[in-house]
Amino acid sequence: MAIVRPFKAVRPVRELAAKVAALPYDVMNSDEAREMVQENKYSFLHVDKAEINLEPSVDIYDEAVYKKAKEVLDSMEEDRVFVQDNEACLYIYKQTMNGRSQVGLVSCVSIDDYINDVIKKHEFTRPDKEQDRINHVDYCDANTGPIFLTYRDNENISFIINSCIKKNPDCEFISEDGVGHIVWKIDDKRTIDSLSEYFNRVDYLYIADGHHRAASAVKVGLMRREEVKDVSGEEEFNFFLAVLFPESHLKIMDYNRVVKDLNGLKNDEFLDRVSEKFYINPQEKGQKYKPEQKHVFGMFLDGQWFKLEAKKDSFNSEDPVKSLDVSILQDNLLSPILGIKDPRSDKRIDFVGGIRGLEELEKRASTDMKVAFSMYPTSMDEVMNIADEGEVMPPKSTWFEPKLRSGLFIHKLR
């Protein structure tokens, strides 16, 4: 029984929405963010990555960064870049990328649903990343970036949402990367109540992306409960911002790997070790290889692509985690051969989203890295099944596109 709750969103005025909307804070570093906002004073990165407003020498976790985020957000509200809706509403957010659309419901969800596993997770979080967003939410007194949630397809919910998007939108624009964005506001109480009722019959919601933001939002909510006497449960800090998409709308892209060296091995020694667990099929020079099915991998080494097919004895097909391609590669190659024991912390490995293409893997393996691996994408069924089992996926298992833009919806905690 999932709770979705309308809220009085703080939103950019229509004519500035395209300039305000920004990619999530964690898909670029500070230098890249500074470059991106050079000619855009309205970009929400000025709030979400507030260190870009300070000298580069300032540590990104310094208290000054969070104070600056609050200062910039307040200033943008005072200048009426943002305005708050007068009534609690739900919203619809449609994104279109390369001809494919995903349509989600923007609402607040319950921190208790998160605590009680009505909202299911599939990743571990890192304390340092959690603390960063805890500070950001706490100082801003707001959820500034939505959590990307999904749910199993529901025809009643889809019918209502499809009816709503036939009306004129509140705002519509195409971002600099060619992704289309459209927002509708749902202010009709009967429609809001119907959607809330149907979601109340949904057994589970699943975090697709945004585990650190979700965990941080929940912890700030719990902090507020400690600070406030006689909590009723209806206070805004008991809820956090999310966009909920039906599973059939989502596309997971491959999340590829590049490694710095061969762990002291020569090329032929490395290939011999790999052949113990994988069938190796060298591709002709100049021919790229992108996996077309599960348990098959591409490998780029010294200017040549290889097709790697996992041998059946290299994994347990009955184990939902161990049978993931990211696990098979980690358990049979990255860890035992290349010495990458902890991919979360090892500096010799890096991860490349599939949107960058095989060319980026070739570039990396020919410059700052030695070998690259192209992956077959994890499926939504795998993500949801692992979450249902209470298991955790290996790091960097999923890459969702398009990314939700920050700044289009802000949820105030008071």
Side-chain angles (χ1 to χ4, degrees), residues 294-295 316-327 378 381-394:
K294 289 180 62 176
H295 310 333
N316 179 1
S317 60
E318 301 300 317
D319 188 314
V321 176
K322 292 297 184 182
S323 61
L324 289 172
D325 282 0
V326 288
S327 297
T378 305
D381 272 345
E382 288 174 323
V383 172
M384 296 173 110
N385 290 339
I386 285 172
D388 284 339
E389 293 290 329
E391 298 285 353
V392 176
M393 300 184 77

Side-chain angles (χ1 to χ4, degrees), residues 96-130:
T96 302
M97 178 180 181
N98 298 330
R100 184 186 66 82
S101 296
Q102 56 187 35
V103 182
L105 183 73
V106 184
S107 76
C108 282
V109 293
S110 167
I111 68 172
D112 292 304
D113 279 355
Y114 179 95
I115 294 166
N116 296 325
D117 281 334
V118 173
I119 298 174
K120 290 184 172 286
K121 310 89 179 165
H122 66 262
E123 285 184 9
F124 285 127
T125 56
R126 284 174 42 183
D128 58 334
K129 288 191 172 185
E130 269 192 39

Side-chain angles (χ1 to χ4, degrees), residues 67-82:
K67 288 182 175 179
K68 177 58 73 171
K70 171 65 171 172
E71 176 189 321
V72 174
L73 182 57
D74 288 347
S75 175
M76 293 176 86
E77 288 189 68
E78 289 169 7
D79 293 341
R80 296 192 66 76
V81 175
F82 290 104

